[in-house]
């Protein structure tokens, strides 16, 4: 699932989304779906304009049911990292209760079906390097810079100046 929709017409969008994502049938009340799409669009546009936006994670839960519980936990924790902050794969692993599972955290983030709604670009390596990102490292850096995350001349996040998020 790597498509992002910016609606022109709710009816056409809902129809296309149901075709591409049969899992959307899990939302029992179809009248709510256009509202969800509208809210998601607002969050995506805010991200594109470098404005803070947190999409309510509970609204995304039905679309994550196909993921195992560890991946759901990681994405839930990831969704709590505020705009302009970064955390590390190790911090996420610790917060999940599995401190040595930082590679599994990276794998969980690589399966994020909602990359701008659950902003996995905010997770970096413990040394400040960008590590990986579904959209590529240039996109990750671009998104972080737009959020005001400071970088050193070597291209790594400046850990002394960055706002680090700790899950406590």
């Amino acid at each position: 699932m790597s498509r992002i929709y910016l609606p022109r017409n709710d009816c056409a969008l809902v129809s296309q989304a149901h075709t591409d994502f049969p899992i959307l049938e899990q939302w029992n009340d179809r009248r709510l779906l256009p509202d969800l799409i509208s809210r998601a669009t607002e969050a995506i546009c805010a991200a594109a304009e470098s404005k803070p936006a947190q999409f309510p994670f509970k609204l995304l839960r039905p679309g994550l049911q196909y993921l195992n519980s560890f991946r759901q936990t990681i994405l839930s924790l990831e969704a709590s990292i505020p705009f302009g902050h970064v955390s590390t794969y190790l911090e996420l692993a610790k917060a999940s209760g599995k401190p040595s599972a930082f590679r599994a955290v990276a794998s969980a983030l690589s399966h994020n079906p909602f990359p701008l709604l659950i902003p996995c670009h905010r997770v970096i390596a413990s040394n400040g390097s960008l590590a990986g990102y579904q959209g590529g490292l240039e996109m990750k850096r671009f998104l972080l810079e737009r959020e005001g995350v400071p970088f050193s001349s070597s291209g790594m996040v400046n850990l002394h100046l960055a706002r680090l998020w700790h899950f406590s």
Side-chain angles (χ1 to χ4, degrees):
M1 289 190 242
S2 61
R3 295 184 185 185
I4 296 174
Y5 295 92
L6 298 176
R8 290 185 211 124
N9 174 318
D10 282 345
C11 293
L13 181 64
V14 170
S15 175
Q16 185 62 46
H18 278 288
T19 300
D20 291 342
F21 301 103
I23 198 164
L24 290 175
E25 293 298 324
Q26 293 178 3
W27 275 285
N28 294 328
D29 187 348
R30 288 181 180 223
R31 291 171 298 156
L32 296 178
L33 192 56
D35 181 54
L36 290 175
I37 292 170
S38 176
R39 291 176 78 176
T41 301
E42 288 172 15
I44 291 168
C45 288
E49 295 172 8
S50 301
K51 296 178 182 172
Q54 292 288 118
F55 190 82
F57 184 77
K58 66 181 180 178
L59 298 178
L60 297 174
R61 277 201 191 278
L64 300 175
Q65 290 179 349
Y66 69 95
L67 298 175
N68 67 37
S69 62
F70 177 77
R71 287 181 175 166
Q72 289 182 40
T73 298
I74 294 303
L75 292 175
S76 174
L77 289 165
E78 171 61 29
S80 71
I81 301 172
F83 182 89
H85 290 73
V86 291
S87 192
T88 66
Y89 296 100
L90 181 58
E91 282 293 319
L92 265 171
K94 288 177 183 177
S96 76
K98 300 185 181 206
S100 62
F102 52 91
R103 286 195 176 122
V105 166
S107 176
L109 294 177
S110 74
H111 288 85
N112 178 359
F114 307 111
L116 290 175
L117 300 177
I118 302 173
C120 54
H121 64 275
R122 295 180 185 152
V123 178
I124 59 173
S126 295
N127 67 358
S129 69
L130 296 182
Y133 184 62
Q134 289 181 41
L137 294 181
E138 286 181 39
M139 176 61 80
K140 185 172 187 172
R141 181 176 175 139
F142 172 79
L143 292 169
L144 290 172
E145 286 177 334
R146 301 260 325 237
E147 291 188 21
V149 174
F151 281 81
S152 67
S153 59
S154 65
M156 296 170 59
V157 171
N158 185 328
L159 297 174
H160 299 291
L161 299 176
R163 292 184 285 173
L164 300 176
W165 184 253
H166 299 283
F167 305 91
S168 47

